[in-house]
């Protein structure tokens, strides 16, 4: 689930970049960009880091 949110956010972010680059001028791409940024940020926060695994 964590990787799904991360990669979904990454894909939506890449698709949403069509709006500011001028490839597409529809408002849906603007909202896809916003959703992609939020989902990618949540996905990054959910990814397990090496510091979170404490093996003593």
């Amino acid at each position: 689930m964590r990787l799904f949110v991360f990669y979904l956010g990454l894909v939506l972010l890449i698709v949403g970049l069509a709006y500011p680059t001028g490839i597409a001028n529809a408002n849906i791409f603007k909202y896809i960009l916003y959703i992609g940024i939020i989902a990618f940020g949540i996905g990054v926060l959910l990814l397990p880091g090496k510091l979170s695994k404490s093996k003593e």
Side-chain angles (χ1 to χ4, degrees), residues 1 20 43 49 52:
M1 179 69 181
S52 65

Side-chain angles (χ1 to χ4, degrees), residues 11-28:
V11 168
L12 289 175
L13 184 66
I14 291 170
V15 170
L17 285 177
Y19 181 76
T21 56
I23 296 171
N25 289 329
N27 283 336
I28 189 71

Side-chain angles (χ1 to χ4, degrees), residues 9-51:
L10 187 61
V11 168
L12 289 175
L13 184 66
I14 291 170
V15 170
L17 285 177
Y19 181 76
T21 56
I23 296 171
N25 289 329
N27 283 336
I28 189 71
F29 287 101
K30 181 169 54 172
Y31 297 124
I32 288 174
L33 178 64
Y34 296 153
I35 293 170
I37 291 171
I38 292 168
F40 183 71
I42 292 172
V44 167
L45 291 176
L46 289 177
L47 286 178
K50 292 185 178 182
L51 295 176

